[in-house]
Amino acid sequence: MKVGLCCCYSNHNYGSMLQSLANVQAVRQLGHKCEIVRYVKRHSLAQKLRQSPRIFNSGNVVKLKNLARDRFLSQSHPEITRQRRIRDEKFDTYCRNTFTEVSDAYVGWDSLRAGSVRYDAVMVGSDQLWLPAGLPTNFYNLQFAAPGVRRISYATSFGVASIPWYQRSRTADYLERIDYLSVREDAGAAICHHVGGVKARVVVDPTLLLTDEEWQGLIPVSSISRGPYIFCYFLGRNQLCRKEARLLSIETGLPIVVLRHLDEIIPTDESFGDKAPYDVDPAGFVNLIRNAEYVLTDSFHGTVFSTICHKRYATFYRFQQKERQSRNSRIESLFSHLDLTGRLVTQEGQALRVLTSKVDFNAVDERLEAWRAGSWGFLRRALEQ
């Protein structure tokens, strides 16, 4: 079977690239061909006018505000901008070298729809590809697939706990058209049930389909930083993370290695951490986790790889629970399935207790293996001839 994979493989984001790699690897391990679908949107003036109201939905307003803020800070901090370009080059090089089976660009909707007949199945996965703000593209919801082309969703995430009322009908429409439907979070399964009236399987993130040994085969173990260290990977602005990391550093005497300014520039982070490398690609990111004494993160995939590698780690919320755009459900769902809620830090002084408490990784691995086996079973059935 030839599978066309719709994913964010080129995003300058460690989690996006690693879950894309895991999805490609999973399809191939099951004996099928996998090609990443490259879609370039092209809209007529009429289409642009029809879609213009999108900029006023809450998700896009927040996104535009963040883009404007980041652009302003980039101009105000040229040295940070220069350093980020170094990391961008590492991402681009890793992407070119890793994702070699990529389609020619399908430019425009008609080209994409016509090109879909090249595949026996099209699959979306994983990450937050069903965010309400992206609904009108009809790419990640697989609406472009021609009749007879199987539609598969593997571990796709809505990223939010609810769908805006004005998108519920269109969301129900594409959910009903997916032949094999799975999501990454319990909240996503609830949306499928309440909005689409369909049942979705909750499966592991693609990165969790692979064992630690299998990841070592894809990304060999290597040292990125000398000596023992605390690794901090924070995407949000939550200052509790930074305070707890400093306390841990004082308590242990270990230096902090931090990856700064990833999703956005946070000027105050210039004074946070002892070492801040920028020449780190996704393989380097995994090895920074592997070799750390402790990991502190507000990232879903930072949490995932800390679990896979059996690290002493603590996870923080990236978003305030009351925020409309909060995407904390992915952390909560993961911890619920693996019984790791004790790794979540929400109060000052809690991280030291969390990090010194032992995790029974044998029990975690047993729960993960059962969940992983069911997820492999879902994917195998979806790809059967």
Side-chain angles (χ1 to χ4, degrees):
M1 178 175 283
K2 185 172 183 179
V3 179
L5 177 63
C6 303
C7 61
C8 287
Y9 73 101
S10 61
N11 273 17
H12 289 183
N13 177 283
Y14 295 113
S16 293
M17 284 195 178
L18 290 166
Q19 63 87 20
S20 296
L21 173 59
N23 256 327
V24 170
Q25 183 70 11
V27 172
R28 290 176 178 168
Q29 280 187 206
L30 291 174
H32 305 285
K33 298 176 183 178
C34 186
E35 179 179 88
I36 292 175
V37 179
R38 187 154 61 101
Y39 174 44
V40 179
K41 289 177 282 185
R42 182 175 64 189
H43 298 303
S44 66
L45 178 60
Q47 288 172 320
K48 289 178 181 178
L49 289 173
R50 282 199 303 270
Q51 293 186 16
S52 59
R54 286 177 58 198
I55 65 173
F56 299 108
N57 74 42
S58 57
N60 278 327
V61 167
V62 171
K63 185 177 180 179
L64 289 171
K65 281 183 178 179
N66 289 339
L67 284 172
R69 180 179 181 274
D70 200 65
R71 188 174 292 113
F72 170 77
L73 289 171
S74 294
Q75 295 170 350
S76 305
H77 299 82
E79 178 58 23
I80 293 176
T81 302
R82 186 186 70 80
Q83 296 276 30
R84 290 175 96 190
R85 287 197 191 106
I86 293 172
R87 184 163 55 217
D88 287 340
E89 290 174 4
K90 297 292 287 189
F91 272 122
D92 288 336
T93 300
Y94 184 86
C95 183
R96 283 193 304 270
N97 294 338
T98 302
F99 302 108
T100 55
E101 298 295 323
V102 180
S103 73
D104 292 335
Y106 297 110
V107 181
W109 175 260
D110 290 338
S111 173
L112 177 66
R113 184 163 178 78
S116 70
V117 299
R118 297 179 58 242
Y119 307 105
D120 299 296
V122 288
M123 185 171 96
V124 58
S126 159
D127 229 347
Q128 301 168 82
L129 302 182
W130 285 346
L131 280 167
L135 174 64
T137 66
N138 286 331
F139 176 54
Y140 291 121
N141 59 22
L142 308 181
Q143 291 284 64
F144 67 89
V149 178
R150 194 176 306 177
R151 305 181 189 194
I152 303 167
S153 162
Y154 183 78
T156 317
S157 173
F158 292 94
V160 294
S162 61
I163 300 297
W165 63 269
Y166 53 87
Q167 289 189 342
R168 288 176 185 170
S169 177
R170 291 180 65 188
T171 299
D173 182 56
Y174 78 73
L175 288 173
E176 290 170 0
R177 293 167 183 257
I178 293 175
D179 300 296
Y180 291 88
L181 177 62
S182 69
V183 293
R184 192 175 65 183
E185 292 100 20
D186 296 326
I191 287 173
C192 290
H193 173 69
H194 294 299
V195 175
V198 291
K199 185 176 181 180
R201 179 76 175 265
V202 179
V203 295
V204 298
D205 185 82
T207 53
L208 285 166
L209 280 172
L210 307 181
T211 64
D212 187 24
E213 292 75 18
E214 287 170 323
W215 273 113
Q216 289 179 36
L218 288 173
I219 299 175
V221 177
S222 66
S223 179
I224 303 297
S225 184
R226 292 183 180 179
Y229 58 88
I230 300 163
F231 177 52
C232 291
Y233 178 53
F234 303 136
L235 298 175
R237 305 177 206 171
N238 185 352
Q239 289 304 306
L240 175 63
C241 317
R242 281 82 171 168
K243 290 178 182 177
E244 294 295 277
R246 290 188 181 101
L247 286 173
L248 179 65
S249 180
I250 292 169
E251 182 73 19
T252 62
L254 296 178
I256 294 172
V257 176
V258 59
L259 298 180
R260 295 176 180 155
H261 314 303
L262 283 136
D263 278 13
E264 59 180 318
I265 291 177
I266 304 175
T268 53
D269 273 358
E270 284 296 286
S271 61
F272 173 69
D274 302 290
K275 183 178 180 181
Y278 283 85
D279 58 339
V280 178
D281 64 9
F285 167 75
V286 173
N287 277 312
L288 279 171
I289 291 176
R290 282 174 175 158
N291 294 298
E293 291 293 312
Y294 302 95
V295 179
L296 286 80
T297 186
D298 64 359
S299 151
F300 175 79
H301 284 105
T303 301
V304 163
F305 279 97
S306 296
T307 303
I308 291 172
C309 298
H310 292 187
K311 305 309 296 185
R312 289 184 287 184
Y313 73 92
T315 298
F316 301 79
Y317 280 138
R318 179 181 172 188
F319 301 91
Q320 295 288 335
Q321 287 292 73
K322 61 184 179 182
E323 286 183 44
R324 291 183 63 188
Q325 301 303 315
S326 172
R327 302 173 194 175
N328 293 332
S329 63
R330 50 189 170 164
I331 294 289
E332 294 165 347
S333 186
L334 176 69
F335 280 175
S336 174
H337 281 267
L338 299 182
D339 194 19
L340 281 168
T341 52
R343 297 289 97 190
L344 186 63
V345 174
T346 58
Q347 299 175 350
E348 287 190 26
Q350 187 181 357
L352 281 173
R353 296 195 299 273
V354 167
L355 291 164
T356 53
S357 63
K358 290 186 178 180
V359 178
D360 184 357
F361 277 112
N362 288 329
V364 172
D365 285 346
E366 286 180 9
R367 285 186 285 271
L368 176 56
E369 189 51 44
W371 193 13
R372 179 185 284 142
S375 301
W376 273 111
F378 169 87
L379 192 54
R380 188 176 289 106
R381 288 190 297 276
L383 294 174
E384 284 178 351
Q385 295 285 359

